[in-house]
């Protein structure tokens, strides 16, 4: 009954966001992506479309935490061989009005009411393990839920304590947030959890606009056949991600690139090492998407605004926005 | 343009919107209506109800309905009775296929508004609440009733942006409500025609081009305009969109979103300022080499837009922006303050009961109720009395409160030159008057005086009248005017106050004439350039300010500074403490009214 999601490859005029999403899909250790921009720029469309693009993952059959068969040795008896199944990479929506018990996990209400039994029902964090957790309008999320997310994201582990039951399970996920900064800013602690911050601009050239409107119209009229039409292109993007993941292991990062990255971060005065690390990782992932064996200056230049923009110390009286400051520093230190 | 219809009046357009919306809520999404409760609005809602016929119902969405009521949740009474979880579906899910009417939408909490906007966008609702996962179709149309006054923040963008139409019913006299030409029956035929209506490339392209020239950034506005053109064609009995449809879409969807006077497409003549509408060049005939139809249609649309755009468009857009920026800043500073147990009740949250928190007993019992069977079973054999209600720490629900922001009024007083003594005296008097009743408003007052080479924080933010009196006695005046330094200091103090959850208001008493630059050097030009650039930075941060020009004769410099700051400018050649304190109080009240 529900219509299929808008295909990723049919999103046009949003290359920066799409490339950044693919980079995170290639290397999840980049750690989250924040998409900021005006309303009506298709932020959530891009994220939802990503779900259709991700290659499936292998999990222990029936495991509620999407455990990886490779590292699954605790808790099960060694005699019993592990059964493996493939599931789509989870992309879990965290709706703004979600209550805490649904996020963390709690007792199964139905079992408790009908049979008086204590059965654990896992929450959104368990379902998102090894996948993506998406929060639309992340800047409007309630404070106590933000605290909870920060805590879990930092430790990679979720603890459920309810009615005398206590369960610990891995909760490693890539956080994706989108929002409009004009409607309330993000707390710095949460901002810092995102590896990349992408500023979505709305396309201002006529041809792109016309194309977007026509594609949208075609999709609305007949979603099924539209998705079918774009299947091939989506598959090509999926192959890029799969190939990228393989290339990543062998990726060569020249010394010069590392030095330039360090110089750039020093010039911008970003806090801590995290910025530099994310910058290099993102450049590597971008190179991998392009099918390269070596990171180039071009990739570093592309990664810099996303990886550094949200890590600058804010000068309350500096008018220029942080994106411009990064761009200026990139110009200066990475040349053209 | 000659053969197009005369511009329809507002009521005709409002009726057209009602017809289009009831024809296809799926294409149009909805409408935002400005105007207070009254006969015109009632008549319009009546018409909409009539046109929808029996298939679609109008349902009310009250502004203060709880999250639970709107998104759904556990129906506790039914659950306990049935012995298994029963969901309360909530207003949004119930409205599937219907039209929702959101009353007093400007009062709706931003988070709820965002969720309604998301449901509208996705056509479905996923709620994870109270032990249940609720997934339901939520294809509804939304009618947003906006009753905000001019200087109040309008409803959240999350609600407005997805809607195709924005109309104002304020200026329509109640005696001019003719019977419209639309009936529920003619809509039935149009509804059948709609799936076969072809949206021509030309109409799509012309609408997109018009959107760019009107400075509309959202691409969704283009999609909505194309949708409306299609629905309009179906309404008028066509199977292909035409110029009339494009004009209607432009008038109803694009023009209300315009942010600039249409730029003419000749690149070498690009003017940053809007040209006078009367001298709009008519160069349509000259570039006949272009694809004639598209260019022509675009020009027709842009000319039509010029005819109906309000003359004071730019002022209006600027005003809306600053109101929004302030609302956002206020919302931001409000974060983390909802812990104090006073103000209006605003939902509950799970948590530990520590001192200063208030327990919400009903919600706590609600949380505990479903688990009683399990808990009793656990306690069997332990000799516990099975009749008691067992409440565990997990069940505790804390009442959250929301209360209006407390202000910090930061006086920036020009203590330079000859008028210094008088100005300082009046500022001191005003600060004291404000403090005298601050125990009611919980405001704080700070004072920065600037003279000579730099600004000085004479009175750090305080509620104490005694302290203020002591700090303000014996302030000297005279010397240069380091306005930039003063603004810088005021800005930092304002930011600091914001971090503490207060909303700062800068009150400047000056004639705006700076002569000491940021780095302390003399020179009028550099000094005023510095001051203006800092002022713009303050505006970008959404810091509210009030400028009281106290020079005997009003000067351009003060006006320029007020524009850069986006401050209200008041001329007070004979400033006295009482009038200063009244003005400041009014400013503070307008800051809080939007919350």
């Amino acid at each position: 009954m529900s219509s299929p999601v808008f295909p990723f490859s049919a999103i046009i005029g949003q290359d920066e966001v799409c490339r950044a999403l693919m980079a995170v899909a290639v290397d999840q250790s980049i750690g989250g992506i924040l998409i900021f921009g005006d309303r009506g720029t298709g932020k959530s469309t891009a994220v939802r479309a990503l779900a259709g693009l991700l290659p499936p993952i292998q999990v222990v059959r029936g495991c509620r935490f999407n455990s990886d068969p490779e590292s699954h040795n605790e808790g099960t008896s060694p005699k019993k061989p592990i059964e493996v199944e493939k599931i789509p990479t989870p992309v879990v929506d965290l709706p703004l009005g979600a209550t805490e018990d649904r996020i963390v996990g709690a007792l199964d209400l139905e079992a408790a009411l009908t049979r008086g039994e204590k059965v654990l029902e896992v929450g959104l964090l368990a379902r998102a393990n090894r996948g993506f957790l998406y929060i639309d309008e992340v800047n409007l999320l309630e404070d106590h839920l933000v605290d909870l997310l920060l805590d879990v994201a930092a430790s990679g582990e979720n603890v459920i304590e309810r009615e005398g039951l206590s369960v610990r399970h891995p909760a490693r996920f890539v956080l994706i947030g989108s929002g409009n900064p004009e409607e309330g800013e993000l707390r710095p602690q949460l901002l810092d959890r995102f590896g990349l911050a992408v500023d979505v601009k709305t396309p201002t050239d006529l041809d792109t606009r016309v194309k977007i409107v026509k594609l949208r119209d075609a999709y609305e009229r007949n979603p099924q056949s539209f998705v079918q039409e774009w299947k091939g292109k989506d598959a090509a993007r999926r192959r890029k991600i799969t190939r990228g993941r393989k290339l990543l292991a062998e990726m060569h990062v020249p010394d010069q690139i590392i030095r330039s990255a360090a110089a750039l971060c020093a010039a911008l005065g970003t806090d801590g090492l995290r910025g530099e690390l994310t910058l290099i990782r993102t450049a590597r992932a971008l190179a991998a998407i392009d099918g390269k064996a070596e990171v180039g200056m071009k990739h570093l230049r592309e990664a810099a605004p996303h990886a550094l923009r949200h890590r600058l110390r804010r000068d309350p009286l500096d008018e220029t926005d942080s994106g411009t400051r990064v761009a200026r520093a990139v110009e200066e230190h990475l040349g053209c | 343009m000659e053969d197009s219809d005369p511009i329809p009046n507002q009521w005709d357009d409002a009726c057209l919107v009602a017809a289009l919306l009831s024809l296809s809520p799926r294409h149009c999404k909805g409408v935002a209506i400005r105007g207070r409760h009254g006969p015109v609005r009632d008549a319009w809602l009546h018409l909409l109800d009539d046109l929808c016929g029996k298939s679609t119902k109008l349902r009310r969405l009250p502004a203060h309905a709880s999250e639970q009521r709107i998104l759904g949740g556990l129906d506790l009474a039914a659950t306990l009775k049935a012995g298994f979880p029963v969901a309360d579906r909530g207003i949004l899910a119930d409205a599937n296929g219907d039209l929702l009417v959101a009353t007093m939408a400007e009062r709706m909490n931003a988070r709820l508004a965002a969720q309604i906007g998301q449901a509208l966008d996705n056509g479905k609702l996923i709620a994870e609440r109270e032990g249940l996962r609720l997934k339901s179709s939520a294809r509804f149309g939304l009618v947003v009733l906006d009753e905000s006054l001019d200087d109040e923040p309008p409803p959240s963008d999350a609600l407005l942006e997805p809607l195709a139409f924005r109309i104002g019913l304020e200026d329509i006299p109640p005696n001019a409500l003719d019977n419209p030409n639309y009936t529920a029956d003619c809509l039935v035929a149009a509804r059948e025609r709609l799936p076969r209506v072809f949206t021509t490339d030309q109409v799509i392209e012309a609408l997109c081009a018009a959107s760019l020239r009107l400075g509309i950034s959202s691409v969704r506005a283009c999609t909505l305009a194309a949708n409306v053109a299609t629905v309009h064609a179906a309404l008028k009995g066509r199977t292909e969109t035409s110029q009339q449809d494009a004009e209607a879409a432009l008038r109803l969807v694009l023009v209300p979103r315009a942010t600039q006077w249409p730029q003419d497409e000749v690149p070498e003549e690009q003017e940053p300022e809007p040209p006078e509408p009367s001298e709009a060049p008519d160069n349509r005939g000259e570039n006949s080499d272009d694809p004639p139809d598209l260019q022509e249609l675009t020009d027709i649309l842009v000319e039509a837009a010029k005819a109906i755009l309000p003359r004071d468009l730019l002022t209006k857009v600027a005003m809306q922006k600053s109101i929004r920026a302030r609302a956002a800043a206020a919302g931001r500073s409000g974060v983390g303050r909802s812990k104090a147990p006073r103000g209006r009740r605003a939902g509950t949250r799970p948590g530990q009961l520590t001192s200063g928190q208030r327990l919400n007993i009903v919600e706590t019992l609600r949380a505990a109720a479903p688990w009683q069977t399990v808990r009793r079973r656990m306690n069997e054999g332990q000799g516990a009395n099975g009749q008691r209600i067992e409440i565990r720490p997990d069940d505790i629900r804390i009442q959250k409160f929301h209360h209006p922001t407390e202000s910090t009024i930061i006086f920036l007083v020009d203590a330079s030159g000859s008028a210094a003594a008088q100005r300082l005296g009046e500022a001191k008097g005003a600060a004291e008057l404000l403090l005298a009743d601050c125990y009611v408003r919980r405001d704080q007052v700070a004072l920065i005086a600037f003279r000579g080479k730099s600004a000085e924080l004479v009175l750090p933010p305080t509620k104490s009248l005694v302290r203020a009196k002591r700090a303000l006695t014996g302030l000297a005046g005279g010397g240069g005017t380091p306005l930039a330094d003063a603004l810088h200091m005021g800005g930092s103090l304002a930011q600091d106050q914001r971090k503490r959850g207060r909303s700062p208001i800068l009150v400047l008493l000056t004639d705006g004439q700076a002569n000491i630059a940021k780095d302390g050097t003399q020179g009028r030009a550099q000094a005023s350039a510095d001051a203006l650039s800092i002022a713009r930075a303050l505006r970008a941060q959404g810091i509210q300010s009030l400028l009281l020009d106290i020079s005997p004769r009003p000067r351009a410099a003060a006006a320029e500074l007020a524009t850069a700051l986006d401050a209200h400018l008041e001329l007070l050649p004979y400033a006295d403490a009482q009038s200063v304190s009244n003005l400041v109080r009014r400013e503070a009240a307008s800051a809080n009214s939007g919350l």
Side-chain angles (χ1 to χ4, degrees):
Chain A
M1 181 61 214
S2 69
S3 45
V5 292
F6 195 80
F8 193 81
S9 41
I11 297 171
I12 50 172
Q14 300 295 2
D15 294 346
E16 283 194 7
V17 176
C18 291
R19 293 266 294 174
L21 281 171
M22 282 176 73
V24 175
V26 165
D27 184 358
Q28 301 202 353
S29 71
I30 290 172
I33 175 168
L34 179 66
I35 308 171
F36 258 166
D38 290 338
R39 293 191 170 278
T41 39
K43 299 182 290 282
S44 55
T45 309
V47 178
R48 301 233 153 81
L50 178 75
L53 204 64
L54 296 164
I57 56 167
Q58 291 206 323
V59 297
V60 176
R61 185 181 290 278
C63 176
R64 289 179 296 174
F65 314 117
N66 307 331
S67 297
D68 188 352
E70 303 278 310
S71 59
H72 191 80
N73 37 28
E74 315 132 44
T76 47
S77 64
K79 287 168 207 156
K80 223 163 127 192
I82 300 167
E83 273 189 76
V84 175
E85 67 176 332
K86 270 191 177 180
I87 60 162
T89 304
V91 178
V92 176
D93 248 289
L94 196 162
L96 280 182
T99 53
E100 196 179 323
D101 59 311
R102 301 298 301 167
I103 298 176
V104 178
L107 287 198
D108 185 336
L109 188 63
E110 188 157 3
L113 280 169
T114 54
R115 305 191 294 278
E117 286 171 10
K118 294 200 291 179
V119 181
L120 182 75
E121 192 181 8
V122 298
L124 297 175
L125 293 178
R127 279 201 266 142
N129 188 29
R130 300 180 60 215
F132 294 74
L133 187 68
Y134 175 46
I135 312 166
D136 194 6
E137 315 262 11
V138 61
N139 41 343
L140 297 177
L141 194 66
E142 288 211 59
D143 261 2
H144 69 272
L145 299 182
V146 172
D147 292 343
L148 191 155
L149 278 181
L150 287 175
D151 193 30
V152 175
S155 63
E157 189 178 62
N158 180 38
V159 184
I160 313 170
E161 307 248 17
R162 286 286 146 99
E163 310 291 329
L165 275 188
S166 176
V167 176
R168 231 165 238 281
H169 69 81
R172 272 179 263 279
F173 48 84
V174 177
L175 205 53
I176 304 183
S178 63
N180 179 355
E182 278 178 25
E183 292 166 25
E185 271 177 19
L186 269 195
R187 282 160 60 189
Q189 295 91 325
L190 185 58
L191 203 55
D192 194 52
R193 300 303 323 172
F194 291 99
L196 305 179
V198 186
D199 202 4
V200 190
K201 297 226 178 41
T202 146
T204 50
D205 87 290
L206 181 58
D207 289 346
T208 316
R209 271 198 182 209
V210 170
K211 255 187 226 153
I212 294 174
V213 175
K214 282 184 184 166
L215 287 171
R216 196 76 220 177
D217 185 54
Y219 168 76
E220 297 281 345
R221 278 171 193 265
N222 193 344
Q224 263 79 18
S225 75
F226 185 80
V227 170
Q228 198 61 35
E229 235 173 86
W230 287 86
K231 221 174 178 175
K233 286 201 172 157
D234 259 14
R237 298 270 184 117
R238 187 176 306 121
R239 279 195 297 277
K240 272 191 180 179
I241 293 177
T242 324
R243 183 188 64 182
R245 287 183 180 168
K246 281 186 198 127
L247 284 171
L248 206 58
E250 308 278 304
M251 182 64 64
H252 176 59
V253 188
D255 280 355
Q256 204 226 329
I257 295 284
I258 297 179
R259 244 180 278 129
S260 302
L264 182 67
C265 291
L268 283 166
T270 52
D271 293 342
L273 268 178
R274 208 197 293 252
E276 216 168 309
L277 215 58
T278 313
L279 175 58
I280 298 282
R281 278 187 181 146
T282 312
R284 271 162 36 115
L286 289 170
I289 294 170
D290 290 346
K292 298 282 188 319
E294 188 180 294
V295 178
M297 205 50 111
K298 168 180 147 227
H299 302 117
L300 196 60
R301 270 203 296 272
E302 187 185 346
H306 308 328
L308 301 178
R309 175 187 285 133
H310 54 305
R311 300 176 200 274
L312 306 187
R313 269 181 203 281
R314 186 131 36 125
D315 177 356
L317 295 176
D318 194 343
E319 271 183 78
T320 46
D321 78 308
S322 46
T324 323
R325 276 162 71 195
V326 175
R328 220 185 284 150
V330 166
E331 193 92 348
E332 217 167 282
H333 291 268
L334 307 185
C336 267
Chain B
M1 258 184 94
E2 309 75 49
D3 47 39
S4 61
D5 304 329
I7 300 164
N9 73 34
Q10 274 187 305
W11 177 248
D12 287 347
D13 260 358
C15 294
L16 178 58
V17 164
L20 293 169
L21 180 58
S22 50
L23 207 169
S24 176
R26 192 171 73 85
H27 282 83
C28 305
K29 301 289 186 190
V31 54
I33 299 171
R34 269 187 69 91
R36 319 208 66 170
H37 176 82
V40 183
R41 205 176 80 181
D42 284 349
W44 188 87
L45 285 170
H46 232 98
L47 170 67
L48 183 67
D49 200 9
D50 283 350
L51 292 177
C52 283
K54 289 192 184 68
S55 57
T56 312
K57 280 204 262 321
L58 253 59
R59 291 164 180 270
R60 291 216 158 239
L61 177 72
H64 292 300
S66 66
E67 205 168 50
Q68 157 95 15
R69 194 60 210 101
I70 292 178
L71 303 172
L74 189 68
D75 184 337
L76 193 62
T79 298
L80 293 179
K81 198 171 164 204
F84 54 85
V86 179
D88 169 7
R89 280 163 38 93
I91 295 177
L92 292 188
D94 275 341
N96 188 29
D98 288 338
L99 282 171
L100 267 181
V101 182
T103 48
M104 289 211 299
E106 74 281 0
R107 309 292 291 178
M108 191 181 283
N109 149 321
R111 189 174 306 122
L112 257 181
Q115 289 174 83
I116 295 171
Q118 284 169 6
L120 194 61
D121 255 3
N122 303 332
K124 66 183 175 206
L125 178 74
I126 300 174
E128 299 272 356
R129 297 179 62 79
E130 302 181 312
L132 295 172
R133 178 180 169 80
L134 304 166
K135 208 172 167 183
S136 34
S137 293
R139 287 189 181 279
F140 55 88
L142 186 63
V143 179
V144 168
L145 302 181
D146 169 8
E147 300 180 9
S148 62
L149 302 173
D150 277 345
D151 55 349
E152 282 177 345
S156 157
D157 252 350
L159 282 183
L160 299 186
E161 218 272 339
L163 310 179
F165 308 115
R166 280 158 210 206
I167 53 177
L169 300 179
E170 289 150 318
D171 306 329
I172 301 174
N175 53 3
L177 310 180
D178 298 339
N179 276 340
N181 318 320
Y182 314 105
T183 60
D185 291 339
C186 77
L187 291 188
V188 173
R191 217 168 273 139
E192 270 168 27
R193 197 176 301 118
L194 181 58
R196 286 170 310 182
V197 176
F198 178 67
T199 321
T200 59
D201 286 0
Q202 194 197 6
V203 163
I204 292 180
E205 282 163 34
L207 285 172
C208 286
S211 79
L212 284 173
R213 287 168 69 178
L214 290 168
I216 299 169
S217 75
S218 165
V219 182
R220 178 148 51 187
C222 303
T223 307
L224 287 170
N227 283 352
V228 167
T230 314
V231 178
H232 189 266
L235 180 69
K236 299 289 173 185
R238 287 184 276 271
T239 52
E240 196 181 287
T241 52
S242 73
Q243 180 185 328
Q244 280 80 19
D245 304 322
E247 277 174 3
L250 171 96
R251 198 171 68 240
L252 301 174
V253 183
L254 295 183
V255 166
R257 291 166 202 250
T259 64
Q260 68 183 31
W261 199 261
Q263 307 276 314
D264 287 298
E265 265 194 328
V266 196
E268 59 265 48
E269 262 187 16
Q270 254 185 6
E271 300 167 64
E273 292 296 310
E276 285 297 309
S278 53
E279 60 173 44
D282 190 351
N283 52 1
R284 226 180 305 149
E286 287 158 31
N287 37 19
S288 51
D289 293 341
D290 291 323
D293 289 344
L294 173 62
Q295 185 64 34
E296 202 173 79
L297 182 56
T298 309
D299 284 341
I300 288 173
L301 289 185
V302 170
E303 287 304 318
K306 280 181 185 170
I308 45 179
L309 275 173
R311 283 294 117 88
D312 53 352
L313 175 74
L314 293 182
T315 347
K316 275 194 174 156
V317 167
M319 200 174 86
Q320 281 302 315
K321 255 192 182 162
S322 82
I323 290 174
R324 271 185 198 285
R326 275 180 201 155
R332 186 164 61 231
S333 60
V335 171
R337 288 181 318 102
S338 49
K339 282 171 188 150
R342 54 188 154 84
R344 177 161 61 78
R345 285 168 177 252
T348 58
R349 63 176 173 86
Q352 256 100 53
L353 197 61
T354 50
S355 70
Q357 309 274 26
R358 198 175 295 166
L359 177 72
N360 185 319
I361 296 175
V362 175
E363 286 302 318
T364 304
L365 286 175
R366 271 184 56 99
W371 310 107
Q372 294 305 311
T373 326
V374 183
R375 290 175 185 169
R376 279 199 200 113
R377 191 164 294 190
M378 269 170 75
N379 290 342
E380 271 170 22
Q382 291 178 19
N385 179 359
Q387 294 307 308
R388 279 188 321 193
I389 298 176
E390 268 207 58
I391 312 242
R392 300 270 170 89
D394 286 345
D395 304 328
I396 304 284
R397 294 291 181 274
I398 307 285
Q399 181 68 49
K400 289 195 296 182
F401 293 91
H402 182 88
H403 60 94
T405 326
E406 297 165 7
S407 318
T408 302
I409 293 156
I410 304 170
F411 282 97
L412 294 173
V413 184
D414 188 344
S416 66
S418 52
Q422 194 215 340
R423 256 180 236 146
L424 271 175
E426 298 308 342
K428 277 190 252 178
E432 286 169 13
L433 277 172
L434 283 169
L435 279 173
D437 69 349
C438 78
Y439 71 96
V440 186
R441 290 196 32 86
R442 297 192 189 86
D443 289 340
Q444 295 196 1
V445 172
L447 193 143
I448 293 170
F450 53 104
R451 59 177 280 263
K453 284 230 181 306
S454 62
E456 187 193 350
L457 179 60
V458 179
L459 177 67
T462 182
K463 286 184 193 180
S464 157
L465 186 57
V466 183
R467 198 173 151 202
K469 278 193 166 149
R470 201 183 309 137
L472 295 178
T473 42
L475 253 184
T481 315
L483 184 55
D485 195 40
L487 286 169
H488 186 110
M489 186 183 271
S492 319
L493 186 59
Q495 283 293 355
D496 178 63
Q497 288 297 307
R498 230 179 223 179
K499 280 195 198 119
R500 290 163 199 261
R502 311 185 62 92
S503 64
I505 300 172
L506 293 183
V507 179
L508 284 97
L509 278 85
T510 178
D511 55 8
Q513 305 250 18
N515 59 14
I516 305 287
K518 207 170 165 184
D519 54 7
T521 54
Q522 291 227 352
R524 222 162 252 285
Q526 187 56 41
S528 75
D530 282 0
L532 288 177
S533 99
I534 294 178
R536 276 190 292 271
L538 293 179
R539 177 177 64 182
Q541 295 165 46
I543 292 178
Q544 190 181 1
S545 40
L546 172 67
L547 178 59
L548 305 176
D549 183 356
I550 44 174
S551 59
R553 230 170 278 122
R555 311 252 177 116
E560 207 179 333
L561 182 63
T563 315
L565 276 169
D566 190 25
H568 294 177
L569 174 65
E570 296 281 349
L571 304 178
L572 277 186
Y574 308 105
D576 64 287
Q578 188 62 53
S579 58
V580 170
S581 99
N582 286 344
L583 281 168
V584 170
R585 223 170 284 162
R586 185 164 13 119
E587 182 76 19
S590 85
N592 269 336
S593 64
L595 294 174

